[in-house]
Amino acid sequence: PPSLTCPPNAVYENDPGLCGETKTYPLPIALDNCSISGPPVLISGLASGSFFPVGTTTNTWRVADLSNTTATCSFTIKVNDVEKPKITCKPDILRGNDFGYCQAKIQNLGQPVFSDNCAISGLSNNAPITFPVGSTTVLWIISDHSGNTNSCTQNVTIEDREPPVVTCPANIQVKTDEGDCVATIGFIAKAKDNCGVQALRHFPSSTSA
């Protein structure tokens, strides 16, 4: 039979923005003790100069001599997707707290705009449903089928726009302390706030008359 020698297996990276690479490879070399009936023929795979998709393509060639004795050889071209997907987060969010709560529920953060030269395998984020007063950074992560990842961040700021509520005690009328021209009185006001009361003070702090 004739002999047929294929080029070695090869590994390449994708063309920028494409899910594969256009690649030219040398044709197999055929030898025979008599004569070859014709040039080698590709029986499976892709011809030289073709666009090879991301993944592994096996190219099998066959040659025959004048006695119709054949030989085949195969080699692989592997194209790796090394390109990260693209992702752009929606604008940051600023809003006030839900009334009566030190937080706010955000129904929709807005999905980032994303794309990839091949295909996206998943989009995830670490966003809570309810955001506390203050600033929270939401991390969005995009990944493709080749394991390439990219990310963007979106800030959610919740402002406490609800004033505290204070309830004063009832008006007080008492007699002076015995022998004094003043009276010592104990009283306290009540205060509450959706995010907690930091301090409660009264003015003036004391009087005498």
Side-chain angles (χ1 to χ4, degrees), residues 26-51:
L27 297 179
I29 298 174
L31 298 174
D32 189 62
N33 58 317
C34 291
S35 295
I36 301 296
S37 62
V41 177
L42 179 68
I43 58 176
S44 67
L46 295 172
S48 177
S50 297
F51 180 79

Side-chain angles (χ1 to χ4, degrees), residues 192-207:
K192 64 179 181 178
D193 185 68
N194 59 308
C195 287
V197 176
Q198 182 180 22
L200 177 62
R201 298 183 298 273
H202 63 85
F203 301 93
S205 58
S206 64
T207 60

Side-chain angles (χ1 to χ4, degrees), residues 55-202:
T56 301
T57 301
T58 301
N59 309 290
T60 301
W61 289 76
R62 181 174 62 196
V63 72
D65 61 16
L66 295 177
S67 299
N68 204 30
T69 305
T70 62
T72 61
C73 71
S74 298
F75 70 100
T76 60
I77 289 182
K78 182 180 181 182
V79 179
N80 292 323
D81 176 16
V82 296
E83 190 168 335
K84 291 183 177 181
K86 297 177 177 64
I87 182 170
T88 303
C89 279
K90 293 294 185 179
D92 294 342
I93 295 175
L94 172 64
R95 58 158 291 181
N97 64 291
D98 293 340
F99 182 77
Y101 295 92
C102 195
Q103 59 191 26
K105 183 178 291 185
I106 305 296
Q107 299 292 346
N108 186 8
L109 293 174
Q111 183 168 280
V113 177
F114 56 87
S115 63
D116 188 59
N117 59 311
C118 290
I120 301 297
S121 63
L123 174 68
S124 61
N125 66 62
N126 64 341
I129 296 175
T130 302
F131 291 82
V133 165
S135 183
T136 302
T137 299
V138 179
L139 175 66
W140 290 85
I141 300 175
I142 191 78
S143 58
D144 64 19
H145 287 295
S146 296
N148 300 305
T149 63
N150 207 346
S151 64
C152 66
T153 57
Q154 181 183 22
N155 292 318
V156 178
T157 302
I158 306 300
E159 294 180 340
D160 178 13
R161 299 175 182 175
E162 190 173 339
V165 176
V166 60
T167 303
C168 286
N171 295 336
I172 300 172
Q173 183 176 353
V174 297
K175 295 180 179 181
T176 61
D177 294 340
E178 185 176 355
D180 286 327
C181 195
V182 298
T184 302
I185 303 170
F187 61 87
I188 188 170
K190 295 181 179 180
K192 64 179 181 178
D193 185 68
N194 59 308
C195 287
V197 176
Q198 182 180 22
L200 177 62
R201 298 183 298 273
H202 63 85

